[in-house]
Amino acid sequence: MKNKILIFGNGFIGKRLQESLDADISDKRISSFHDIKEEIASHKPKIIINCIGYTGIRNVDDCELDKNKTIFSNTFIPILMAEEALRNKIKLIHISSGCIYHYDYAEDKPIKEEKAQNFLDLYYSRTKIYAERSLEPLLPKANILIPRIRIPLDNRPHPRNILTKLINYKKIIDAPNSITYIPDFIQALKHLIKIDARGLYNVVNKGGLYYSELLDIYAKYVPNFKYKILDYKQLKLTRTNLILSTNKIERTGFNIRRVKEVLEECVRNYIKYS
């Protein structure tokens, strides 16, 4: 990477990107505009990547319990970063979420970026929508890229990795969902940086994943592993299940693998890292 990159947020996604992009990462707690300004002045990046976000300690239901932390992390910080990026004429990459839509499997097609965000049922989703809608007016002119990821799947254990979660839950829902395989996301982000992409992009693998497909492969390597399937309506929890379109990023020339193509590779490497 020719451009110096500074990552804000040293959690799951931030650390994975730091490894692959040879970027600086800030471990400073961001509590004000001044904190962002200081870090940019110190590192002098050409690109900043915002990986700060609050998804709860256990899951997104925790966001309902700490709304102040959720809205500050997920909404206010991206706005402050956008303003500082504009003032310094540097690129902002804000990592967003695809968990911002209602979806009807019987009627809806994969959701494209231009569709208005409409899933307000979860406070987490609301704060991600607030951030996107605040940045959207800047997109035609400002150098801002907003990649949306969804349900991160990685080839190494981590509490935020959906495979790790499913192994521990042992009860899974039966609805197909868009998934972001982190090694593919990293390659996609490198591509988008190279072409200086701007605007909203869904960065997920093609198609939908039934969790049973992933766990069946895991069970091949761990034969004593068992799980149960639940109708997602039985959970009685507010969740968004959906499929996102990958047409826009594919039009840039990037080849998106189907999610089912990555499962075997993912599980084999996951077990090696375990």
Side-chain angles (χ1 to χ4, degrees):
M1 293 281 173
K2 293 181 180 179
N3 294 319
K4 185 173 182 180
I5 299 173
L6 172 63
I7 296 170
F8 286 90
N10 61 353
F12 175 35
I13 300 298
K15 287 179 179 176
R16 290 290 274 118
L17 291 181
Q18 180 197 23
E19 293 173 9
S20 302
L21 301 179
D22 191 26
D24 292 344
I25 191 165
S26 171
D27 58 3
K28 187 179 184 69
R29 183 177 179 82
I30 303 301
S31 57
S32 68
F33 184 83
H34 181 71
D35 294 331
I36 300 169
K37 186 181 180 70
E38 270 193 344
E39 288 298 278
I40 289 175
S42 174
H43 291 270
K44 296 180 173 55
K46 295 294 183 182
I47 299 170
I48 57 174
I49 302 179
N50 177 34
C51 295
I52 294 173
Y54 184 63
T55 59
I57 297 171
R58 298 165 302 165
N59 54 47
V60 292
D61 295 325
D62 290 338
C63 295
E64 312 289 333
L65 304 175
D66 196 341
K67 292 184 174 180
N68 290 344
K69 182 174 183 177
T70 304
I71 197 167
F72 185 79
S73 299
N74 296 349
T75 304
F76 295 159
I77 284 178
I79 293 171
L80 295 177
M81 285 196 182
E83 179 60 28
E84 186 62 16
L86 286 170
R87 293 183 187 185
N88 287 274
K89 295 182 172 59
I90 59 180
K91 185 180 189 75
L92 168 64
I93 300 174
H94 168 59
I95 308 299
S96 188
S97 169
C99 300
I100 51 177
Y101 292 106
H102 282 283
Y103 192 78
D104 185 332
Y105 285 99
E107 297 183 6
D108 291 341
K109 294 180 179 179
I111 297 170
K112 296 182 178 180
E113 287 83 353
E114 55 265 29
K115 181 174 180 177
Q117 311 93 326
N118 60 11
F119 189 79
L120 303 175
D121 307 52
L122 278 171
Y123 193 70
Y124 166 78
S125 298
R126 279 164 53 191
T127 60
K128 301 301 282 190
I129 290 173
Y130 295 156
E132 281 201 6
R133 291 192 176 176
S134 297
L135 299 184
E136 278 176 337
L138 305 174
L139 294 180
K141 293 184 179 180
N143 195 347
I144 298 176
L145 169 65
I146 305 177
R148 291 173 176 161
I149 64 174
R150 189 151 193 282
I151 311 182
L153 170 66
D154 203 2
N155 59 3
R156 58 188 72 178
H158 190 281
R160 298 293 182 183
N161 181 355
I162 187 60
L163 179 53
T164 302
K165 291 180 179 182
L166 293 174
I167 291 168
N168 291 325
Y169 289 157
K170 295 182 180 165
K171 292 183 180 180
I172 62 171
I173 60 172
D174 64 344
N177 271 291
S178 279
I179 298 287
T180 298
Y181 183 47
I182 296 302
D184 287 5
F185 168 64
I186 291 168
Q187 295 307 312
L189 188 58
K190 287 180 178 180
H191 167 76
L192 292 172
I193 291 172
K194 183 177 180 180
I195 66 172
D196 195 27
R198 304 179 184 196
L200 286 163
Y201 284 86
N202 297 331
V203 188
V204 296
N205 290 82
K206 290 177 71 170
L209 174 70
Y210 284 93
Y211 293 149
S212 59
E213 297 171 313
L214 175 60
L215 291 185
D216 284 347
I217 293 175
Y218 180 77
K220 286 196 319 184
Y221 294 89
V222 186
N224 62 341
F225 176 77
K226 307 294 180 187
Y227 67 90
K228 293 182 179 180
I229 297 177
L230 302 174
D231 185 324
Y232 69 90
K233 295 175 184 176
Q234 290 180 311
L235 290 179
K236 296 181 180 179
L237 295 172
T238 304
R239 293 291 185 269
T240 172
N241 297 293
L242 55 84
I243 307 293
L244 294 174
S245 169
T246 58
N247 290 345
K248 184 175 180 180
I249 189 170
E250 288 181 287
R251 289 198 299 268
T252 70
F254 186 77
N255 179 42
I256 291 284
R257 291 193 287 177
R258 292 193 172 276
V259 66
K260 294 178 185 179
E261 293 177 35
V262 309
L263 302 184
E264 191 83 34
E265 166 195 316
C266 174
V267 171
R268 282 201 311 267
N269 283 285
Y270 183 94
I271 290 171
K272 287 179 184 177
Y273 279 107
S274 297

